[in-house]
Amino acid sequence: MRNVERLCLAHFWVAFAAFLVASLLGAWQMWVRSPLGANIGTPTPGHYFMSVTAHGVSMAYVLTTFFIMGFGYFVAVTSLGRPLPGKVWAWIAFWMAIVGVVMVLIPIIMGQASVLFTFYPPLTASPWFYIGLVLVVVGSWVWCILMFVAMREWKRENPGQPVPLAMFATVANAVMWLWTTVGVAAELLFQVIPASLGIVQTIDAGLARTLFSWTLHAIVYFWLIPAYIALYTMIPRAAGGRLYSDTMGRLTFILFLVYSLPVGMHHLMMDPEHGNGWKFIQMLLTVFVSVPTLLTIFTIMASLEIAGRLRGGRGVFGWIAKLPWERPAVLATGLAFVMLGFGGFGGLINMGYGMNAMVHNTSWVTAHFHLIFGGSVVIMYFAIAYEIWPRLTGREHASPAPLRWQLWLWFIGMMVMTLPWHLLGLQGQWRRVANFNYADPIIAAWGPWVLVSFFGGLVLLASALLFVRNLAVLHRSPLPVAQRPLYALAVHPPHRVPAALNGFGLWNVLVLVLMLLAYGYPIAQFVIEPSPAAMVHRMH
Amino acid sequence: MTDRPPEIHEQRILGTELLWAVGVGVLVAATLSVVVFTALSRDINPPSNVERIDPKTLHLSGEFAEHNLGTTVGPDGRVTARMIATQFMFVPRCIAVPSGRAVTLRFASPDVIHGLLITRTNVNTMVVPGFVAQVHTEFTRDEDLLMPCHEYCGLGHSEMWATVQVMPDDRFKPGPDGRVSCAQR
Ligand code: HEM
Ligand SMILES: [Cu+2]
Ligand SMILES: [Cu+2]
């Protein structure tokens, strides 16, 4: 570590502070929309949607972006073994993003931005809300550039050497993020901000949705990749084994870069502004998004198997029992895989062209992304935090027991919250509702399951509180950190890799071609034959 | 604990990976063929008619003018129900449809984005201002179904729903103007 501890900790604490507040709001929302909170009169729908906006923005934008930036700086310094270039810029980006977050949160609290984290126009919020978001994104762009620079300087000093996998993956994420943000940036700068400022009075809602969809799928992979970086580069070591294959790791992250982008229209499957053919093409491409995850499951299982056998595991499954499950990182991985299993199955349903009609915009969707993103991904964020906090603070956890408790509670809470939510979605419970009319017999029948999921939400809140406590007490722990390596070695560490697996030039070209193919006409159609614009509806 | 390098030959690693890659390939191919096959053979089409309409004027004339809303039976016997989705209600609040017959539902929004589903069916579409959303379907059970707006459309979103009254075909009798309204219950 070369003096980026403060930088990393600053990013992480902002991320986790947002996470804690958002968890409180989440649990409160669960109560409001349950039979217990119904018909009380206060809180009003205004409060509910203010809260859902704050919850969605904090979890999806603040927690993730700050966590990913902090983790990127950490990886750049530790995996490359050289100081971070442009540290001043990193701090400038940090403060820019902080200003952005404040600019986003103030109008939300004032009730001037209850447009939810997807902010679909013609509804528009206070301009501060969008300008704040832009600042956060620009801050993250600075991070992307710093990641490229760090990799390039390392390559110059180590000609012909393979870039360490953790850094290669981080840069893959940075490249993907630049592509990803193009859609929402165009929507904000050319459509939404002018509308919100009152410069224009009408807006093309179909175009805005299409541009947002460009961002909407790949952003999920932006959030996910840190979890996968931990799986490939830290977990095999934490379990006491080796990474089965470094090449497979590189391939996985390249596939994420290539396939996450030209598929966003699967979020518009039920939209009237796109023809069947384009939806069909992007749905076919969506099938391929499962490939990197399937490769990862194999490689990580094989790496864990090495660890299990080194510890004396025998037989086909005997190695599983021998894994050091008492270590939080290993436990988190196991729990993440279970949630990924359930969530992956749900994802297949969403993707299906026909089945999507059953679940689109129902609680099924909310359940699905809480399970995969709030569950699998965030539990790996916890694991990463627990692994690297000792290195950042120079102190060791007093005992792993509260860490394990916290992970188990998160897992149990997530299952108890999302399984009934899936069920309710199948029965037609729709999402984003401030208060259900439990007098209606159909809705009344949902009541008991809503209560079960509310209970799951409470367990999650307890876990969130314990998480923050576990990190906070570490800052005062009397135990000095024991020096141990963080990154896993591959079974056969690479000595030379082909240029295509050591950089991104070629892959950027491929992304460009695929994006032209997938989004060229769907966006161009709005220019060729503009759709009749709708009046802007200001919520401020 | 020792961290001795496990003796796994590189060739063996490559072999297992190729095997898994083939497995993944088969899985992807199977998923693709199921999706493509069902889409083509069962004629599954999500609402994708790309039919433009001006949200600012749609209520003034044409099919979404007030007197044309609701259910009509055409001279050829085709059943079409038209509704406007607006902040924060559907107009009309109830539509009558026959069971066991093809029905076309058409929606448009004069203001913001809405969406809808009909519980216990697979009717589901977004209603984006600027476009007509159209769904072809057939209702099977005679009952009152709930049709909520499922996309956040403003603070009143939670109160925005309509009723779909599915009638047995023999009770579904259009008036002289070809129109059918909900029965009072
Ligand atoms: C304490 C744990 C949590 C609880 C109790 C909770 C609960 C909720 C509830 C009740 C909603 C509103 C659903 C609706 O109105 O249809 C919601 C929405 C959402 N949650 Fe969570 N959640 C939790 C954790 C998370 C986590 C960890 C993430 C992601 C990191 C997350 C991301 C989101 C997002 C993006 C939305 C969508 C907001 C929208 O629909 O606009 N949540 N959550
Ligand atoms: Cu997606
Ligand atoms: Cu609505």
Side-chain angles (χ1 to χ4, degrees), chain A residues 331-350:
Chain A
L331 176 63
T333 305
L335 299 177
F337 271 11
V338 175
M339 291 188 278
L340 196 65
F342 279 97
F345 172 75
L348 275 177
I349 306 281
N350 301 344

Side-chain angles (χ1 to χ4, degrees), chain A residues 202-476:
Chain A
T202 61
I203 193 159
D204 187 334
L207 174 61
R209 250 177 101 72
T210 308
L211 290 173
F212 194 74
S213 85
W214 167 309
T215 300
L216 193 52
H217 190 74
I219 196 174
V220 179
Y221 284 85
F222 174 63
W223 304 333
L224 180 98
I225 283 181
Y228 276 47
I229 294 177
L231 288 178
Y232 275 97
T233 68
M234 298 178 178
I235 298 306
R237 162 77 68 182
R242 293 269 189 131
L243 173 61
Y244 194 62
S245 160
D246 181 271
T247 312
M248 222 29 152
R250 288 169 198 272
L251 211 59
T252 296
F253 292 108
I254 287 170
L255 288 176
F256 272 134
L257 165 63
V258 172
Y259 280 119
S260 308
L261 281 148
V263 298
M265 248 167 78
H266 64 216
H267 293 268
L268 306 184
M269 222 89 105
M270 295 299 131
D271 273 40
E273 75 272 12
H274 291 290
N276 229 339
W278 297 104
K279 293 180 181 173
F280 199 70
I281 289 176
Q282 293 216 11
M283 180 195 59
L284 294 187
L285 287 168
T286 302
V287 178
F288 290 94
V289 178
S290 59
V291 172
T293 291
L294 290 170
L295 296 182
T296 301
I297 291 173
F298 174 80
T299 308
I300 302 311
M301 291 287 201
S303 310
L304 290 177
E305 183 182 344
I306 294 174
R309 294 205 187 283
L310 277 175
R311 299 169 61 88
R314 303 261 166 277
V316 183
F317 296 113
W319 57 271
I320 299 180
K322 287 281 184 198
L323 284 173
W325 292 112
E326 72 284 358
R327 298 186 191 163
V330 180
L331 176 63
T333 305
L335 299 177
F337 271 11
V338 175
M339 291 188 278
L340 196 65
F342 279 97
F345 172 75
L348 275 177
I349 306 281
N350 301 344
M351 184 191 70
Y353 207 42
M355 284 181 291
N356 187 265
M358 292 289 295
V359 297
H360 174 73
N361 265 1
T362 66
S363 296
W364 175 282
V365 175
T366 327
H368 172 72
F369 68 71
H370 276 85
L371 191 55
I372 293 251
F373 168 38
S376 302
V377 172
V378 170
I379 211 169
M380 291 310 294
Y381 286 12
F382 298 153
I384 292 172
Y386 287 152
E387 276 297 296
I388 70 181
W389 225 258
R391 287 159 215 277
L392 295 172
T393 57
R395 294 158 195 268
E396 199 58 79
H397 300 282
S399 149
L403 279 57
R404 289 197 299 263
W405 267 103
Q406 187 269 325
L407 297 170
W408 273 111
L409 284 177
W410 192 257
F411 170 74
I412 293 167
M414 214 31 108
M415 297 302 270
V416 174
M417 180 168 87
T418 58
L419 292 185
W421 240 358
H422 274 98
L423 192 79
L424 291 167
L426 278 183
Q427 296 179 12
Q429 187 193 61
W430 59 106
R431 63 187 282 206
R432 298 175 157 177
V433 180
N435 33 37
F436 285 105
N437 171 21
Y438 287 98
D440 182 298
I442 296 180
I443 295 176
W446 299 340
W449 288 115
V450 179
L451 285 177
V452 174
S453 61
F454 169 46
F455 178 71
L458 289 181
V459 177
L460 285 170
L461 176 60
S463 173
L465 289 164
L466 186 53
F467 171 68
V468 171
R469 177 242 166 229
N470 285 345
L471 294 183
V473 296
L474 192 62
H475 285 271
R476 306 190 170 198

